């Protein structure tokens, strides 16, 4: 797979709702409601959640860019495939002329890299 990279403007409120939805699809109490089987991995965000809480109440703390998530702020997100940011979230979507492989090659060409995603979603 080599999908195009897309960008979207998404509010903090939408980011929180999107991640709550993702947590519910992954950890629903009723196994028939579980879909996907994985939590989104996102660079630049950190959230702390209680998986045992009811849907919509799992996220306890949410940070974007090292600061507490502002529900009214608009954040710029880059992603590949509609699974990254589903169509019902965000505005001003743009599909770039850059594929995922091209973006990765450019990133690696800049020199040594660090991709520490550990702790981006932490169950507490």
């Amino acid at each position: 797979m080599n999908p195009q990279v897309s960008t979207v403007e998404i509010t903090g409120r939408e980011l929180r709702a999107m991640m709550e939805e993702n947590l519910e699809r992954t950890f629903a109490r009723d196994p028939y409601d579980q879909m996907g089987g994985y939590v989104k991995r996102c660079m630049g965000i950190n959230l702390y959640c209680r998986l045992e809480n009811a849907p919509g109440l799992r996220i306890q703390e949410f940070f974007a860019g090292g600061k507490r998530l502002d529900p009214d702020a608009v954040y710029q997100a880059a992603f590949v495939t509609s699974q990254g940011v589903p169509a019902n979230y965000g505005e001003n979507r743009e599909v770039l002329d850059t594929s995922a492989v091209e973006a990765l090659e450019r990133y690696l060409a800049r020199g040594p890299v660090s991709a520490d995603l550990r702790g981006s979603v932490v169950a507490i």
Side-chain angles (χ1 to χ4, degrees), residues 16 25 28 37 43 47 49-50 52 70-71 81 88 90 99 114:
R16 185 180 190 101
R25 289 179 175 213
M43 198 170 214
L47 65 89
C49 59
R50 293 192 180 273
E52 69 275 11
D70 178 349
T81 79
N88 57 319
S99 71
S114 173

Side-chain angles (χ1 to χ4, degrees), residues 61-120:
E61 296 286 342
F62 201 132
F63 300 90
K67 298 179 183 174
R68 191 171 304 276
L69 188 74
D70 178 349
D72 298 316
V74 176
Y75 298 90
Q76 185 76 25
F79 62 97
V80 293
T81 79
S82 62
Q83 291 177 344
V85 179
N88 57 319
Y89 294 105
E91 294 182 355
N92 300 320
R93 287 176 178 268
E94 183 178 353
V95 178
L96 305 180
D97 289 332
T98 303
S99 71
V101 171
E102 290 171 303
L104 182 59
E105 288 172 341
R106 287 184 199 163
Y107 181 68
L108 294 173
R110 292 192 288 186
V113 297
S114 173
D116 186 14
L117 295 180
R118 296 182 128 180
S120 62

Side-chain angles (χ1 to χ4, degrees), residues 12-32:
R13 189 170 283 103
E14 289 176 305
L15 267 174
R16 185 180 190 101
M18 181 181 74
M19 292 305 293
E20 281 282 3
E21 179 182 282
N22 179 241
L23 289 169
E24 173 59 16
R25 289 179 175 213
T26 306
F27 299 107
R29 288 184 179 136
D30 183 341
Y32 290 106

